[in-house]
Amino acid sequence: MKDDLKVVIIGGGLGGAATATALYKRGIQAHIYEQAPELTEVGAGIVMHPPTQHLLYKWGLGELCEEKGKTVKKLDMLTAKGELIADGPKSGLDLLTLDSLEGYKPRVIHRAHLLDTLLTPLSSEYIHLDHKCESMIEHEDHVEIRFTNGKVVQADVVIAADGIHSNTRKIFSNDEPIFCGAHSIRTIFSYEETKHLVEEKRVVMYQEGDIIAFLIPVANGVALDMIYPTQDASWSKPVDKELILSHVGHFEEGFVRLFDSFEYPVMSRALYFRQPLEKWSTRRITLLGDSAHAMLPTLGQGANSAIQDAEAIADALASCETITEAFEQYEQERRPVTTAIQTQSQNPELLKA
Ligand SMILES: Cc1cc2nc3c(=O)[nH]c(=O)nc-3n(C[C@H](O)[C@H](O)[C@H](O)COP(=O)(O)OP(=O)(O)OC[C@H]3O[C@@H](n4cnc5c(N)ncnc54)[C@H](O)[C@@H]3O)c2cc1C
């Protein structure tokens, strides 16, 4: 492959940032084009599985990952009333343990801290904010990319890490995201607010029927991720205390008390997913992360998978003779495994107690 390969990444989320860093570590300076005016992640904690941590160390980000992420020793599953059901992952979550690597313990990190960590090696001159990709035209020897602000750039390779709403995915499929019948509310509490419920290194998971609420210690507090059933398919909507308590008002008193300290309304986001694709790449354009394989968060694998994709595409582009070979290698490595996780994450039992 030529030395000065020009790579453009559409999307500066966790997948796009990881890809730029994985390429940078191999001497390829990719340009990220992001539609938003700043790179930021809202939401709560992400469990970094051992293979993800392994990559962060490989990319020279191990110390930051240790500084900003917290190791987890225990997952306690509780009834709504706070009685212990079981320790450790339930059998339906076996995929979580399939990827274990010796020497790494699961570590939780706030999404914004993970994004900052992944962006650390990158120079701002390669990150272009306020650039919404409008169209791409693939030519024999390059791709022309047009942005809504009028800018036009050319690239040898385009990696579309443009998320679940990906426009680029339309090259491969006319599918639409599928609503799973649930919403998620995510926020951060202070340690002080949750100290009666959560100990250091212990993730708590309340479950009753279709309601699941995680309390996950992260570096800047304790992250709440609560999933509740609803037929409201709007992507996001503000909700008030009354709606939250209609689902969890009968849970243990210490948990219910947490909702006194919210500033209402809070945002509730619908959970959507996509079905696996049979192909991710054209001759010069490929998909990565949620644009390729948006999945339900039931296995906590979406961001982890995007980061694994990043290493695979960077390795393929750096080591293969041609772009075609690189895309083939990338898809062979990543499509079967993400297809399996995507399919497994749709298991309705994982959204129930
Ligand atoms: C409730 C919930 C909990 C989750 N928990 C976990 C977890 O614990 N562990 C885990 O591994 N995963 C988890 N996930 C999944 C994880 O959030 C996603 O898989 C991951 O963020 C995908 O990253 P991405 O970079 O592919 O896409 P995104 O983060 O969606 O980034 C896409 C980026 O592309 C930009 N973009 C889109 N279109 C354009 C355009 N036309 N031009 C320019 N830029 C564009 C967007 O603005 C965005 O910045 C969870 C998801 C949800 C909903």
Side-chain angles (χ1 to χ4, degrees):
M1 199 101 61
K2 64 180 189 177
D3 284 344
D4 57 345
L5 191 73
K6 182 153 190 222
V7 180
V8 158
I9 298 168
I10 305 295
L14 296 170
T19 305
T21 287
L23 286 166
Y24 172 75
K25 292 290 168 184
R26 289 168 171 85
I28 301 174
Q29 289 274 14
H31 286 256
I32 296 180
Y33 290 89
E34 164 59 46
Q35 65 184 359
E38 59 177 331
L39 293 182
T40 174
E41 280 282 331
V42 288
I46 294 236
V47 179
M48 290 185 290
H49 297 299
T52 300
Q53 290 178 56
H54 177 69
L55 289 182
L56 290 169
Y57 277 91
K58 186 173 174 182
W59 299 339
L61 304 173
E63 275 183 24
L64 277 175
C65 151
E66 279 182 25
E67 190 188 306
K68 296 183 175 179
K70 286 197 162 251
T71 51
V72 185
K73 280 209 176 125
K74 250 177 120 193
L75 165 67
D76 283 347
M77 278 178 261
L78 308 179
T79 64
K81 293 294 178 203
E83 290 135 4
L84 189 67
I85 304 170
D87 293 339
K90 64 176 171 179
S91 56
L93 297 180
D94 271 354
L95 267 172
L96 288 183
T97 51
L98 281 183
D99 60 11
S100 61
L101 267 184
E102 275 187 33
Y104 297 97
K105 294 193 179 75
R107 198 175 271 277
V108 277
I109 188 166
H110 189 273
R111 302 172 74 90
H113 293 163
L114 179 55
L115 183 64
D116 286 350
T117 301
L118 291 169
L119 291 168
T120 308
L122 306 175
S123 157
S124 58
E125 68 187 287
Y126 292 95
I127 301 175
H128 311 272
L129 303 174
D130 272 324
H131 278 72
K132 179 173 181 165
C133 174
E134 189 173 44
S135 65
M136 289 181 214
I137 303 171
E138 192 167 348
H139 298 279
E140 186 61 31
D141 60 348
H142 71 277
V143 184
E144 184 180 287
I145 307 138
R146 291 182 174 271
F147 296 89
T148 51
N149 60 11
K151 188 159 169 178
V152 181
V153 298
Q154 293 191 354
D156 297 311
V157 171
V158 176
I159 300 170
D162 48 353
I164 191 168
H165 300 288
S166 171
N167 259 334
T168 321
R169 186 178 166 106
K170 292 184 181 140
I171 299 174
F172 306 96
S173 168
N174 288 324
D175 70 340
E176 291 293 333
I178 302 164
F179 178 52
C180 80
H183 265 236
S184 157
I185 292 173
R186 293 182 283 173
T187 192
I188 298 276
F189 294 111
S190 67
Y191 293 120
E192 195 56 30
E193 286 170 298
T194 56
K195 68 176 185 211
H196 56 294
L197 298 172
V198 179
E199 293 157 23
E200 182 84 3
K201 302 194 175 182
R202 173 181 179 241
V203 172
V204 171
M205 175 184 171
Y206 290 94
Q207 46 180 8
E208 186 187 70
D210 294 345
I211 302 166
I212 300 176
F214 286 96
L215 289 171
I216 308 171
V218 290
N220 55 336
V222 173
L224 167 78
D225 194 341
M226 178 181 138
I227 296 175
Y228 65 95
T230 172
Q231 288 315 307
D232 185 342
S234 45
W235 278 90
S236 67
K237 61 172 186 180
V239 295
D240 57 16
K241 186 173 174 182
E242 202 181 340
L243 181 132
I244 294 176
L245 293 189
S246 71
H247 291 286
V248 297
H250 61 290
F251 277 36
E252 73 167 308
E253 190 267 334
F255 178 72
V256 176
R257 212 189 319 145
L258 293 177
F259 297 97
D260 290 341
S261 59
F262 264 9
E263 272 183 35
Y264 293 95
V266 288
M267 289 314 286
S268 174
R269 293 188 168 78
L271 297 182
Y272 278 82
F273 64 99
R274 300 263 199 178
Q275 292 296 0
L277 287 178
E278 286 181 4
K279 197 169 158 43
W280 292 351
S281 313
T282 64
R283 269 173 312 149
R284 291 180 177 274
I285 302 169
T286 195
L287 304 177
L288 182 140
D290 275 10
S291 69
H293 48 64
M295 56 187 75
L296 289 176
T298 46
L299 297 168
Q301 286 279 0
N304 281 273
S305 297
I307 292 168
Q308 299 297 318
D309 292 352
E311 174 70 1
I313 189 66
D315 180 49
L317 286 172
S319 63
C320 292
E321 290 292 316
T322 65
I323 297 167
T324 306
E325 270 177 45
F327 283 180
E328 271 172 22
Q329 178 178 311
Y330 164 59
E331 284 201 36
Q332 271 168 20
E333 186 178 337
R334 294 303 301 156
R335 243 180 353 91
V337 65
T338 54
T339 296
I341 301 172
Q342 251 179 306
T343 309
Q344 169 90 355
S345 73
Q346 293 168 33
N347 179 351
E349 292 306 310
L350 294 177
L351 282 171
K352 288 198 183 94

